[in-house]
Amino acid sequence: MSAGGDLASRVAALLACAGVEARPASGGAGAWPHGLAEPPDVAALHAAADGLALPDGTLILPRGEVAQATAWLVEDRSLDWPGDLLVVGEREDLVIVLDLDVEGARAGGGVLEVPTDGLASFQRVARTVVGYLERRLGVAEAEAASPEVRAREAAARRDLPALVGALAEPMYPGAERQTAHAALTLGALLSERGDEAALDAFARSVEARVAAAPRGAAAPERLAAWRACEIAAREAGAEAIAAACAARARGGG
């Protein structure tokens, strides 16, 4: 079964996984948050089960509890969340949030893991709730993870094609440090090949680091970032690319 297959089949495969506990489907009972469209994968999930518990402790809320849980958390913690972020579950010290990104302002939204002690620190891990559950359960041919996760994993493997693919997608706001590291790794891999496209990768790494820098720290952060690129290129044996990075550091570029 492919990740792009029929949603009902994918949901059925999830429910058949060992250790998954599902509440009986409620026939659509329980209101989805007013004014927000329920994503197709979430609707398919709720058509088969009204709430899930996974062996790793992940809990997915029943349909009718999403609006209440979201409203409670936003009010209790005085959060300045956009209205299209919804609490859909939890695991240990994490809140699982579905970003619907109605206005297309946050890289298409997706499933976020948010620490309970840092409810403004969003980490996108999946595009859809069903895809998120597939990966938690280790389903074969699961939907691809978010580009942020794929970039991190590809950087760890030093997988050039996978890095290029992940970095070609829009990154979620707040993922600048991850992007900077992935782009730096890509620049190093390209430098090993003597490919001048490494400079573009290094430039992206620099800009991502600058974007994440505290106010007033952009200039020193840019300098440090270009020096890191210079070192990476030199370690890759690409002296010409390293020299170009050094020149950009001196020129503030």
Side-chain angles (χ1 to χ4, degrees), residues 105-172:
R106 296 183 298 277
V111 179
L112 318 175
E113 289 185 339
V114 191
T116 53
D117 59 354
L119 290 165
S121 301
F122 302 116
Q123 294 291 322
R124 182 169 63 172
V125 292
R127 290 290 193 183
T128 69
V129 173
V130 166
Y132 176 75
L133 294 173
E134 287 174 336
R135 287 181 60 83
R136 295 302 313 171
L137 289 165
V139 171
E141 299 184 43
E143 178 182 293
S146 69
E148 297 81 13
V149 170
R150 288 173 17 238
R152 182 179 70 245
E153 293 176 348
R157 299 192 308 270
R158 296 179 65 81
D159 184 333
L160 193 153
L163 261 176
V164 170
L167 286 170
E169 298 183 36
M171 294 289 175
Y172 198 81

Side-chain angles (χ1 to χ4, degrees), residues 66 84 145-146 164 192 200:
V66 170
D84 51 356
S146 69
V164 170
E192 290 175 358
D200 293 331

Side-chain angles (χ1 to χ4, degrees), residues 47-75:
D50 197 31
L52 288 178
L54 273 55
D56 66 359
T58 299
L59 300 176
I60 299 297
L61 298 176
R63 188 174 191 267
E65 295 183 15
V66 170
Q68 180 181 359
T70 304
W72 178 85
L73 187 65
V74 169
E75 181 177 352

Side-chain angles (χ1 to χ4, degrees), residues 23-234:
R23 289 178 50 171
S26 60
W32 184 252
H34 179 70
L36 296 172
E38 186 175 25
D41 72 297
V42 178
L45 187 63
H46 286 148
D50 197 31
L52 288 178
L54 273 55
D56 66 359
T58 299
L59 300 176
I60 299 297
L61 298 176
R63 188 174 191 267
E65 295 183 15
V66 170
Q68 180 181 359
T70 304
W72 178 85
L73 187 65
V74 169
E75 181 177 352
D76 184 68
R77 301 294 185 90
S78 301
L79 301 174
D80 185 24
W81 279 9
D84 51 356
L85 263 61
L86 303 174
V87 174
V88 295
E90 62 182 1
R91 184 179 73 258
E92 296 179 349
D93 57 352
L94 294 172
V95 178
I96 302 168
V97 175
L98 175 60
D99 181 359
L100 298 175
D101 192 19
V102 172
E103 297 183 358
R106 296 183 298 277
V111 179
L112 318 175
E113 289 185 339
V114 191
T116 53
D117 59 354
L119 290 165
S121 301
F122 302 116
Q123 294 291 322
R124 182 169 63 172
V125 292
R127 290 290 193 183
T128 69
V129 173
V130 166
Y132 176 75
L133 294 173
E134 287 174 336
R135 287 181 60 83
R136 295 302 313 171
L137 289 165
V139 171
E141 299 184 43
E143 178 182 293
S146 69
E148 297 81 13
V149 170
R150 288 173 17 238
R152 182 179 70 245
E153 293 176 348
R157 299 192 308 270
R158 296 179 65 81
D159 184 333
L160 193 153
L163 261 176
V164 170
L167 286 170
E169 298 183 36
M171 294 289 175
Y172 198 81
E176 289 82 11
R177 289 290 180 186
Q178 285 179 278
T179 302
H181 175 68
L184 179 66
T185 302
L186 176 58
L189 293 174
L190 291 170
S191 294
E192 290 175 358
R193 299 183 172 201
D195 189 336
E196 291 187 358
L199 281 172
D200 293 331
F202 285 143
R204 181 169 182 185
S205 177
V206 170
E207 291 310 313
R209 278 188 58 170
V210 170
R215 181 176 298 179
E221 188 70 20
R222 186 180 301 278
L223 176 61
W226 274 119
R227 284 180 173 167
C229 295
E230 177 190 356
I231 291 169
R234 185 156 286 120

